[in-house]
Amino acid sequence: MKLLKRLGYVLLFLVLLLNLIAAFHAWKFTHFYDDPQHVNKKPEQMNASEKLGMIFLGVRISKSVVRHFPDTVYTTINRTTVNGTNINSWWIPVAKSVGTVILFHGYNGSKQGPLPEAAYFRSLGYNTLLVDFRAHGLSGGNACSIGYYEMEEVKMAVDFVQQQSAKPVILWGVSMGAAAILHAIDYYQLNPKQIIIESPYATLMDAVNSRMRAVHLPTTPLSQLLTFWGGTEQGFWGFKMNPADFAASVHMPVLYFWGREDIRVMESETNTVYQHLGTSKKKLCVVENAGHESFCRKAPEIWKKEVLAFLTHQ
């Protein structure tokens, strides 16, 4: 009996320790600090000692910094979320526009990322609005919810654009930005004319799984614990942050990009989200020799051809 009791205490200690480590990791993964000089490394870019340190101590992630600006005239737009966080955007209208494209970046990115995409949309006659999510770039805050609360920024951007013009609105987003778009369409019942999404994760736990794979750690039970704590620490149930489920609320035409060499988002995730889209007007473009990156930069001829056909023929 004494031995069983001791084993029980050891097991309880290990469970508590594992949860403590998971909670600590989740906090550091979703809370950025200000250090413009720090360069964040992806897990696959770390050496063995850095990965070992990350396993036990987590990784400090600095807030993304905006160093590149539009090469044309733009207006800075600042709007405030319900919790008082300032959201910074660049509004770039064009003469005689045919509509507006709103662009949303990925995790730890900023609105400087899709500057090439925005330039192409403007060449087709669209106004563009580039948004920094909370805790990214020039926006305020330090907490990122990987797309859950960021849906508010999507709604705010759509509201702003509709105040400027009655012409069609198109949403473009990559990775976390694509997930936030799907969440916003489901939650707010948004009805843009079309959406272009690139490499969204299927569920928040899938996104955590990719991080575990990158540092060669078992996904079970670590992914479940990180998903639980990541949501709990910010006041939402992480297991319901599922873009694959939100996709059922999408009834407008969709152009969907995914890279064959993507190590962040698996092909199975991509197929799940795509199949769940609630529209028959959809196209999945698989870009060979591309990973979790900008397809406009990596394969500009393919990306521009598909985007032009999508915007012209829908």
Side-chain angles (χ1 to χ4, degrees), residues 65-86:
V65 178
V66 175
R67 293 189 171 91
H68 303 284
F69 296 81
D71 58 2
T72 187
V73 177
Y74 66 93
T75 301
T76 298
I77 305 298
N78 288 292
R79 307 195 83 187
T80 305
T81 65
V82 293
N83 71 352
T85 301
N86 179 65

Side-chain angles (χ1 to χ4, degrees), residues 236-258:
F236 68 92
W237 185 242
F239 297 100
K240 285 192 175 181
M241 180 52 197
N242 300 329
D245 293 336
F246 307 146
S249 296
V250 175
H251 302 295
M252 66 288 302
V254 180
L255 179 60
Y256 194 135
F257 286 97
W258 176 72

Side-chain angles (χ1 to χ4, degrees), residues 24-257:
F24 186 63
H25 271 262
W27 179 270
K28 296 190 78 172
F29 185 64
T30 56
H31 290 74
F32 307 144
Y33 70 102
D34 290 312
D35 182 359
Q37 305 307 316
H38 180 260
V39 177
N40 294 317
K41 287 186 178 181
K42 296 178 180 178
E44 60 271 19
Q45 295 173 325
M46 297 179 180
N47 58 39
S49 62
E50 289 173 327
K51 288 182 178 179
L52 187 64
M54 188 186 79
I55 291 171
F56 291 102
L57 303 175
V59 58
R60 295 185 73 206
I61 302 175
S62 60
K63 184 176 179 179
S64 57
V65 178
V66 175
R67 293 189 171 91
H68 303 284
F69 296 81
D71 58 2
T72 187
V73 177
Y74 66 93
T75 301
T76 298
I77 305 298
N78 288 292
R79 307 195 83 187
T80 305
T81 65
V82 293
N83 71 352
T85 301
N86 179 65
I87 302 301
N88 185 278
S89 304
W90 291 329
W91 170 240
I92 312 176
V94 299
K96 299 180 180 179
S97 71
V98 296
T100 299
V101 179
I102 311 175
L103 298 95
F104 301 96
H105 61 80
Y107 172 81
N108 202 230
S110 74
K111 58 182 178 293
Q112 74 176 15
L115 280 172
E117 287 86 347
Y120 182 65
F121 287 126
R122 289 195 299 277
S123 75
L124 299 179
Y126 291 89
N127 306 317
T128 57
L129 181 71
L130 298 96
V131 181
D132 272 338
F133 283 123
R134 63 189 68 196
H136 291 79
L138 300 176
S139 288
N142 73 328
C144 167
S145 64
I146 325 296
Y148 186 86
Y149 291 123
E150 286 79 5
M151 67 176 176
E152 184 182 358
E153 281 92 282
V154 178
K155 176 65 161 58
M156 290 168 57
V158 171
D159 288 346
F160 169 80
V161 166
Q162 290 179 335
Q163 291 168 4
Q164 310 306 309
S165 170
K167 292 183 178 179
V169 176
I170 293 95
L171 304 182
W172 175 96
V174 58
S175 193
M176 183 184 81
I181 287 173
L182 295 174
H183 195 195
I185 288 174
D186 177 73
Y187 188 86
Y188 296 110
Q189 295 299 294
L190 299 181
N191 190 34
K193 181 185 178 185
Q194 299 158 284
I195 67 171
I196 303 173
I197 52 176
E198 304 188 3
S199 312
Y201 59 84
T203 70
L204 182 56
M205 197 165 78
D206 284 326
V208 178
N209 281 339
S210 75
R211 188 169 182 82
M212 295 299 100
R213 289 193 301 267
V215 292
H216 307 294
L217 287 175
T219 56
T220 302
L222 294 177
S223 293
Q224 289 85 348
L225 289 174
L226 284 168
T227 300
F228 169 77
W229 284 110
T232 300
E233 289 166 354
Q234 296 201 50
F236 68 92
W237 185 242
F239 297 100
K240 285 192 175 181
M241 180 52 197
N242 300 329
D245 293 336
F246 307 146
S249 296
V250 175
H251 302 295
M252 66 288 302
V254 180
L255 179 60
Y256 194 135
F257 286 97

